Amino acid sequence: MTTVEGDLANVDVASPRVYAAGVPHETLAALRSHDPVHWHPWPGTRDGFWLLTKHADVLAVGKDPQTFSSQVGHIALEDREADALAARQSLIETDPPDHTRLRKLVSYAFTRSKVREYEDYTRMIASDLLDKAIAMREFDWVTEISEPLPITVLISILGLPQEDAPMLIELTSEMAAATDPDYRPDPSKYPTDIDPRLLPFGTPAAYHVFEYGRKIGEERRKNPADDLV
């Protein structure tokens, strides 16, 4: 092992705290130059994962699901039991032909013309949020911009009621916070009988998002509309 490889052996580019100071571009560049297929230490039964830092390698893996499965073991860094893997499986944790079939269901909503539409109202939403925040003169960027922007855009794409935005912002924020021990929400805030281990992000808040989705799905089956739902 060379000196450079030894220096890179225990680098951390996976922990959220690393990105508090910005994206570690220099470390990633060193990995690309000296160890592009890098064994990255990580807590768990496998003690780590393979980190690819070159675009060509990432592309090759993405095109070879038979060798590099997204479905077997899923894509999370955390170790999960078989029942949790089955319960938490989503579109991105499937391989062809299932992945292809599911992706076709929503592909029409992401054509070039549709994406141009999304760009237009995303700019409008961002501008509106910024105008409101700036008018306050002093504000929290996370609560006024970062939290509402993606959900408000997603609501527009899905065709959900705008009045549901505050509830969905709260639930998704709680889901994201569940992975951070400093901000993990109180599980009793979102009561459910389902073991959190079987839910995305390991939080009961995810169950309430699913229940909301089921309710919207039932409404759309009765009253179809021209939106992603």
Side-chain angles (χ1 to χ4, degrees), residues 21-34:
V23 178
H25 291 293
E26 292 185 4
T27 302
L28 291 169
L31 286 167
R32 278 193 295 273
S33 297
H34 302 285

mmCIF file with all atom_site columns, all heavy atoms in Angstrom, residues 21-34:
data_model
loop_
_atom_site.group_PDB
_atom_site.id
_atom_site.type_symbol
_atom_site.label_atom_id
_atom_site.label_alt_id
_atom_site.label_comp_id
_atom_site.label_asym_id
_atom_site.label_entity_id
_atom_site.label_seq_id
_atom_site.pdbx_PDB_ins_code
_atom_site.Cartn_x
_atom_site.Cartn_y
_atom_site.Cartn_z
_atom_site.occupancy
_atom_site.B_iso_or_equiv
_atom_site.pdbx_formal_charge
_atom_site.auth_seq_id
_atom_site.auth_comp_id
_atom_site.auth_asym_id
_atom_site.auth_atom_id
_atom_site.pdbx_PDB_model_num
ATOM 1   N N   . ALA A 1 21 ? -19.134 21.287 6.719  1.00 0.00 ? 21 ALA A N   1
ATOM 2   C CA  . ALA A 1 21 ? -18.131 22.271 6.283  1.00 0.00 ? 21 ALA A CA  1
ATOM 3   C C   . ALA A 1 21 ? -18.074 22.378 4.761  1.00 0.00 ? 21 ALA A C   1
ATOM 4   O O   . ALA A 1 21 ? -17.229 23.092 4.223  1.00 0.00 ? 21 ALA A O   1
ATOM 5   C CB  . ALA A 1 21 ? -16.765 21.875 6.833  1.00 0.00 ? 21 ALA A CB  1
ATOM 6   N N   . GLY A 1 22 ? -18.967 21.660 4.056  1.00 0.00 ? 22 GLY A N   1
ATOM 7   C CA  . GLY A 1 22 ? -18.978 21.687 2.601  1.00 0.00 ? 22 GLY A CA  1
ATOM 8   C C   . GLY A 1 22 ? -18.638 20.333 2.016  1.00 0.00 ? 22 GLY A C   1
ATOM 9   O O   . GLY A 1 22 ? -18.186 19.429 2.722  1.00 0.00 ? 22 GLY A O   1
ATOM 10  N N   . VAL A 1 23 ? -18.838 20.183 0.723  1.00 0.00 ? 23 VAL A N   1
ATOM 11  C CA  . VAL A 1 23 ? -18.539 18.923 0.040  1.00 0.00 ? 23 VAL A CA  1
ATOM 12  C C   . VAL A 1 23 ? -17.028 18.700 0.050  1.00 0.00 ? 23 VAL A C   1
ATOM 13  O O   . VAL A 1 23 ? -16.263 19.597 -0.305 1.00 0.00 ? 23 VAL A O   1
ATOM 14  C CB  . VAL A 1 23 ? -19.046 18.951 -1.420 1.00 0.00 ? 23 VAL A CB  1
ATOM 15  C CG1 . VAL A 1 23 ? -18.678 17.659 -2.139 1.00 0.00 ? 23 VAL A CG1 1
ATOM 16  C CG2 . VAL A 1 23 ? -20.551 19.176 -1.457 1.00 0.00 ? 23 VAL A CG2 1
ATOM 17  N N   . PRO A 1 24 ? -16.569 17.502 0.444  1.00 0.00 ? 24 PRO A N   1
ATOM 18  C CA  . PRO A 1 24 ? -15.122 17.233 0.526  1.00 0.00 ? 24 PRO A CA  1
ATOM 19  C C   . PRO A 1 24 ? -14.501 16.971 -0.848 1.00 0.00 ? 24 PRO A C   1
ATOM 20  O O   . PRO A 1 24 ? -14.036 15.868 -1.160 1.00 0.00 ? 24 PRO A O   1
ATOM 21  C CB  . PRO A 1 24 ? -15.048 16.001 1.425  1.00 0.00 ? 24 PRO A CB  1
ATOM 22  C CG  . PRO A 1 24 ? -16.329 15.274 1.166  1.00 0.00 ? 24 PRO A CG  1
ATOM 23  C CD  . PRO A 1 24 ? -17.360 16.361 0.958  1.00 0.00 ? 24 PRO A CD  1
ATOM 24  N N   . HIS A 1 25 ? -14.480 18.008 -1.693 1.00 0.00 ? 25 HIS A N   1
ATOM 25  C CA  . HIS A 1 25 ? -14.027 17.845 -3.073 1.00 0.00 ? 25 HIS A CA  1
ATOM 26  C C   . HIS A 1 25 ? -12.601 17.308 -3.165 1.00 0.00 ? 25 HIS A C   1
ATOM 27  O O   . HIS A 1 25 ? -12.301 16.457 -4.018 1.00 0.00 ? 25 HIS A O   1
ATOM 28  C CB  . HIS A 1 25 ? -14.121 19.188 -3.809 1.00 0.00 ? 25 HIS A CB  1
ATOM 29  C CG  . HIS A 1 25 ? -15.525 19.641 -4.054 1.00 0.00 ? 25 HIS A CG  1
ATOM 30  N ND1 . HIS A 1 25 ? -16.384 18.975 -4.905 1.00 0.00 ? 25 HIS A ND1 1
ATOM 31  C CD2 . HIS A 1 25 ? -16.227 20.696 -3.557 1.00 0.00 ? 25 HIS A CD2 1
ATOM 32  C CE1 . HIS A 1 25 ? -17.553 19.601 -4.934 1.00 0.00 ? 25 HIS A CE1 1
ATOM 33  N NE2 . HIS A 1 25 ? -17.481 20.642 -4.124 1.00 0.00 ? 25 HIS A NE2 1
ATOM 34  N N   . GLU A 1 26 ? -11.697 17.823 -2.317 1.00 0.00 ? 26 GLU A N   1
ATOM 35  C CA  . GLU A 1 26 ? -10.300 17.387 -2.396 1.00 0.00 ? 26 GLU A CA  1
ATOM 36  C C   . GLU A 1 26 ? -10.155 15.902 -2.084 1.00 0.00 ? 26 GLU A C   1
ATOM 37  O O   . GLU A 1 26 ? -9.405  15.180 -2.757 1.00 0.00 ? 26 GLU A O   1
ATOM 38  C CB  . GLU A 1 26 ? -9.439  18.218 -1.444 1.00 0.00 ? 26 GLU A CB  1
ATOM 39  C CG  . GLU A 1 26 ? -9.293  19.671 -1.865 1.00 0.00 ? 26 GLU A CG  1
ATOM 40  C CD  . GLU A 1 26 ? -8.339  20.427 -0.955 1.00 0.00 ? 26 GLU A CD  1
ATOM 41  O OE1 . GLU A 1 26 ? -7.744  19.800 -0.057 1.00 0.00 ? 26 GLU A OE1 1
ATOM 42  O OE2 . GLU A 1 26 ? -8.195  21.649 -1.142 1.00 0.00 ? 26 GLU A OE2 1
ATOM 43  N N   . THR A 1 27 ? -10.884 15.427 -1.074 1.00 0.00 ? 27 THR A N   1
ATOM 44  C CA  . THR A 1 27 ? -10.822 14.012 -0.719 1.00 0.00 ? 27 THR A CA  1
ATOM 45  C C   . THR A 1 27 ? -11.385 13.153 -1.845 1.00 0.00 ? 27 THR A C   1
ATOM 46  O O   . THR A 1 27 ? -10.808 12.118 -2.206 1.00 0.00 ? 27 THR A O   1
ATOM 47  C CB  . THR A 1 27 ? -11.621 13.747 0.574  1.00 0.00 ? 27 THR A CB  1
ATOM 48  O OG1 . THR A 1 27 ? -11.095 14.555 1.623  1.00 0.00 ? 27 THR A OG1 1
ATOM 49  C CG2 . THR A 1 27 ? -11.539 12.287 0.974  1.00 0.00 ? 27 THR A CG2 1
ATOM 50  N N   . LEU A 1 28 ? -12.499 13.569 -2.421 1.00 0.00 ? 28 LEU A N   1
ATOM 51  C CA  . LEU A 1 28 ? -13.109 12.810 -3.515 1.00 0.00 ? 28 LEU A CA  1
ATOM 52  C C   . LEU A 1 28 ? -12.188 12.793 -4.732 1.00 0.00 ? 28 LEU A C   1
ATOM 53  O O   . LEU A 1 28 ? -12.077 11.774 -5.423 1.00 0.00 ? 28 LEU A O   1
ATOM 54  C CB  . LEU A 1 28 ? -14.469 13.416 -3.872 1.00 0.00 ? 28 LEU A CB  1
ATOM 55  C CG  . LEU A 1 28 ? -15.554 13.244 -2.806 1.00 0.00 ? 28 LEU A CG  1
ATOM 56  C CD1 . LEU A 1 28 ? -16.769 14.107 -3.130 1.00 0.00 ? 28 LEU A CD1 1
ATOM 57  C CD2 . LEU A 1 28 ? -15.968 11.785 -2.679 1.00 0.00 ? 28 LEU A CD2 1
ATOM 58  N N   . ALA A 1 29 ? -11.514 13.927 -5.004 1.00 0.00 ? 29 ALA A N   1
ATOM 59  C CA  . ALA A 1 29 ? -10.571 13.977 -6.130 1.00 0.00 ? 29 ALA A CA  1
ATOM 60  C C   . ALA A 1 29 ? -9.405  13.023 -5.898 1.00 0.00 ? 29 ALA A C   1
ATOM 61  O O   . ALA A 1 29 ? -8.940  12.339 -6.826 1.00 0.00 ? 29 ALA A O   1
ATOM 62  C CB  . ALA A 1 29 ? -10.070 15.406 -6.322 1.00 0.00 ? 29 ALA A CB  1
ATOM 63  N N   . ALA A 1 30 ? -8.913  12.961 -4.649 1.00 0.00 ? 30 ALA A N   1
ATOM 64  C CA  . ALA A 1 30 ? -7.818  12.046 -4.322 1.00 0.00 ? 30 ALA A CA  1
ATOM 65  C C   . ALA A 1 30 ? -8.255  10.592 -4.500 1.00 0.00 ? 30 ALA A C   1
ATOM 66  O O   . ALA A 1 30 ? -7.489  9.752  -5.002 1.00 0.00 ? 30 ALA A O   1
ATOM 67  C CB  . ALA A 1 30 ? -7.339  12.294 -2.894 1.00 0.00 ? 30 ALA A CB  1
ATOM 68  N N   . LEU A 1 31 ? -9.473  10.293 -4.102 1.00 0.00 ? 31 LEU A N   1
ATOM 69  C CA  . LEU A 1 31 ? -9.997  8.937  -4.280 1.00 0.00 ? 31 LEU A CA  1
ATOM 70  C C   . LEU A 1 31 ? -10.098 8.593  -5.763 1.00 0.00 ? 31 LEU A C   1
ATOM 71  O O   . LEU A 1 31 ? -9.739  7.483  -6.178 1.00 0.00 ? 31 LEU A O   1
ATOM 72  C CB  . LEU A 1 31 ? -11.369 8.807  -3.608 1.00 0.00 ? 31 LEU A CB  1
ATOM 73  C CG  . LEU A 1 31 ? -11.372 8.736  -2.085 1.00 0.00 ? 31 LEU A CG  1
ATOM 74  C CD1 . LEU A 1 31 ? -12.790 8.936  -1.547 1.00 0.00 ? 31 LEU A CD1 1
ATOM 75  C CD2 . LEU A 1 31 ? -10.804 7.406  -1.595 1.00 0.00 ? 31 LEU A CD2 1
ATOM 76  N N   . ARG A 1 32 ? -10.600 9.519  -6.563 1.00 0.00 ? 32 ARG A N   1
ATOM 77  C CA  . ARG A 1 32 ? -10.703 9.263  -8.003 1.00 0.00 ? 32 ARG A CA  1
ATOM 78  C C   . ARG A 1 32 ? -9.332  8.991  -8.624 1.00 0.00 ? 32 ARG A C   1
ATOM 79  O O   . ARG A 1 32 ? -9.188  8.144  -9.503 1.00 0.00 ? 32 ARG A O   1
ATOM 80  C CB  . ARG A 1 32 ? -11.369 10.448 -8.708 1.00 0.00 ? 32 ARG A CB  1
ATOM 81  C CG  . ARG A 1 32 ? -12.879 10.451 -8.629 1.00 0.00 ? 32 ARG A CG  1
ATOM 82  C CD  . ARG A 1 32 ? -13.498 11.448 -9.595 1.00 0.00 ? 32 ARG A CD  1
ATOM 83  N NE  . ARG A 1 32 ? -13.146 12.815 -9.256 1.00 0.00 ? 32 ARG A NE  1
ATOM 84  C CZ  . ARG A 1 32 ? -13.813 13.565 -8.393 1.00 0.00 ? 32 ARG A CZ  1
ATOM 85  N NH1 . ARG A 1 32 ? -14.881 13.056 -7.762 1.00 0.00 ? 32 ARG A NH1 1
ATOM 86  N NH2 . ARG A 1 32 ? -13.457 14.799 -8.139 1.00 0.00 ? 32 ARG A NH2 1
ATOM 87  N N   . SER A 1 33 ? -8.323  9.713  -8.151 1.00 0.00 ? 33 SER A N   1
ATOM 88  C CA  . SER A 1 33 ? -6.981  9.590  -8.737 1.00 0.00 ? 33 SER A CA  1
ATOM 89  C C   . SER A 1 33 ? -6.239  8.349  -8.268 1.00 0.00 ? 33 SER A C   1
ATOM 90  O O   . SER A 1 33 ? -5.511  7.720  -9.030 1.00 0.00 ? 33 SER A O   1
ATOM 91  C CB  . SER A 1 33 ? -6.149  10.831 -8.394 1.00 0.00 ? 33 SER A CB  1
ATOM 92  O OG  . SER A 1 33 ? -6.717  11.996 -8.950 1.00 0.00 ? 33 SER A OG  1
ATOM 93  N N   . HIS A 1 34 ? -6.413  7.994  -6.995 1.00 0.00 ? 34 HIS A N   1
ATOM 94  C CA  . HIS A 1 34 ? -5.571  6.958  -6.404 1.00 0.00 ? 34 HIS A CA  1
ATOM 95  C C   . HIS A 1 34 ? -6.302  5.684  -5.983 1.00 0.00 ? 34 HIS A C   1
ATOM 96  O O   . HIS A 1 34 ? -5.681  4.638  -5.854 1.00 0.00 ? 34 HIS A O   1
ATOM 97  C CB  . HIS A 1 34 ? -4.834  7.529  -5.186 1.00 0.00 ? 34 HIS A CB  1
ATOM 98  C CG  . HIS A 1 34 ? -3.990  8.716  -5.496 1.00 0.00 ? 34 HIS A CG  1
ATOM 99  N ND1 . HIS A 1 34 ? -2.785  8.617  -6.147 1.00 0.00 ? 34 HIS A ND1 1
ATOM 100 C CD2 . HIS A 1 34 ? -4.192  10.051 -5.259 1.00 0.00 ? 34 HIS A CD2 1
ATOM 101 C CE1 . HIS A 1 34 ? -2.257  9.834  -6.293 1.00 0.00 ? 34 HIS A CE1 1
ATOM 102 N NE2 . HIS A 1 34 ? -3.089  10.712 -5.777 1.00 0.00 ? 34 HIS A NE2 1
#
